[in-house]
Amino acid sequence: MWLLIHRSGKTYLAPDRATFNTEFGVVELKEGPTVSSTGEPFLVTRPSFVDLWLRIRRGPQIAHWKDLGLIVALTGVGPGWKVLEVGGGSGFSTLFWWYLVGKEGKVVTYERNPRHLKVLLENLERLGATNVKVVPSDPREEPPEGTFDLAFLDIPEPWSVLDVVSEHLRPGGFLVSYLPTVEQVKQVESSLGEGYTQPSVHEVIYREWKLGGRTRPLSSGILHTAFVVVSRKIK
Ligand SMILES: C[S@@+](CC[C@H](N)C(=O)[O-])C[C@H]1O[C@@H](n2cnc3c(N)ncnc32)[C@H](O)[C@@H]1O
């Protein structure tokens, strides 16, 4: 696989072959700076994790990167962390945890829908995330083993798995629920009990700006995706 970067910032993923057609002409696939058949400058290089991750196959609704970035800032999840995820879905968040925790870390994800599971497994394989443990079930039916630093619940009813997840979250560990509606947020809040801190609730609104002679924000952005609800286990 190759990544072609045009000077406009536009990028293309190209399979391993001799040339690739773009709207800026044909590009020879040889590593390094080059010029297309119409004289446009390109860089041909290998894709990074992010280049591939942003283009994974979409099945069910993915967790948005703007929200995943916030979770990193709020929890500090990084190399060596153990992450338990319920709601593997398309694997977008799964792959992000996998990338962040590195070889010393561990990611276990639950996905009970066979159709979504297929997309998840394909996407994990595509990015080489073969050491992610995928459990094709609900954690109440097949509980996890060991303890985790972060539990990420990207399912409509996180309170339904709270007991089993809590048994495997270390004291001080983070419970993050990712929820589109306030009703769900309130239900999580009332389900947490004494074992957890009062949750904090966050929403990220994202807007990109257009550079050039008339620099201004783009007229549309990414507004509501889901609330990020963060609590720490204290018992
Ligand atoms: C919104 S999607 C998850 C998206 C995923 N986190 C991503 O970023 O690509 C929610 C997924 O949770 C799964 N799910 C819902 N409840 C579940 C449960 N109790 N146990 C396991 N999977 C569940 C659904 O089948 C669905 O695929």
Side-chain angles (χ1 to χ4, degrees):
M1 201 71 109
W2 292 102
L3 181 79
L4 280 59
I5 309 176
H6 182 250
R7 64 178 169 153
S8 64
K10 193 157 185 185
T11 56
Y12 304 80
L13 265 191
D16 272 314
R17 60 178 193 223
T19 57
F20 188 76
N21 286 332
T22 75
E23 69 201 87
F24 302 104
V26 180
V27 179
E28 195 186 339
L29 296 176
K30 214 170 110 200
E31 185 137 31
T34 187
V35 174
S36 73
S37 58
T38 59
E40 290 281 333
F42 271 92
L43 176 73
V44 178
T45 184
R46 293 296 180 187
S48 69
F49 168 76
V50 169
D51 297 319
L52 296 171
W53 178 59
L54 293 175
R55 291 168 160 97
I56 66 165
R57 201 182 136 209
R58 308 285 167 95
Q61 183 67 44
I62 60 167
H64 201 280
W65 49 259
K66 72 178 173 63
D67 304 318
L68 294 175
L70 175 73
I71 296 169
V72 177
L74 293 174
T75 65
V77 53
W81 276 48
K82 297 186 179 72
V83 179
L84 173 62
E85 177 179 80
V86 187
S90 306
F92 194 72
S93 50
T94 323
L95 281 161
F96 193 55
W97 310 134
W98 168 77
Y99 177 70
L100 289 172
V101 304
K103 285 196 171 63
E104 306 303 316
K106 172 169 132 178
V107 178
V108 175
T109 188
Y110 282 79
E111 177 49 64
R112 66 181 181 189
N113 180 319
R115 246 179 336 115
H116 300 171
L117 186 66
K118 190 166 173 285
V119 179
L120 171 66
L121 291 171
E122 268 175 35
N123 282 334
L124 295 182
E125 195 184 335
R126 186 156 178 245
L127 271 84
T130 47
N131 54 342
V132 169
K133 182 171 179 199
V134 178
V135 188
S137 182
D138 178 305
R140 286 167 294 183
E141 279 156 29
E142 212 175 311
E145 285 166 15
T147 52
F148 293 83
D149 305 296
L150 166 67
F152 178 63
L153 309 181
D154 187 5
I155 57 174
E157 299 180 347
W159 47 88
S160 66
V161 299
L162 197 55
D163 285 350
V164 61
V165 166
S166 298
E167 274 175 42
H168 296 273
L169 191 59
R170 68 164 167 83
F174 291 86
L175 181 84
V176 178
S177 306
Y178 189 60
L179 298 163
T181 71
V182 169
E183 286 73 19
Q184 290 165 301
V185 172
K186 286 185 166 284
Q187 177 116 21
V188 164
E189 182 191 19
S190 61
S191 308
L192 283 173
E194 288 179 359
Y196 284 95
T197 59
Q198 175 79 15
S200 57
V201 183
H202 312 261
E203 185 185 13
V204 178
I205 292 173
Y206 171 84
R207 196 171 66 167
E208 193 178 346
W209 284 50
K210 184 179 181 299
L211 286 176
R214 298 169 51 145
T215 303
R216 58 175 174 78
L218 295 181
S219 48
S220 63
I222 302 165
L223 304 177
H224 185 64
T225 46
F227 297 105
V228 173
V229 183
V230 183
S231 186
R232 292 191 84 167
K233 188 174 160 186
I234 49 173
K235 278 192 180 165

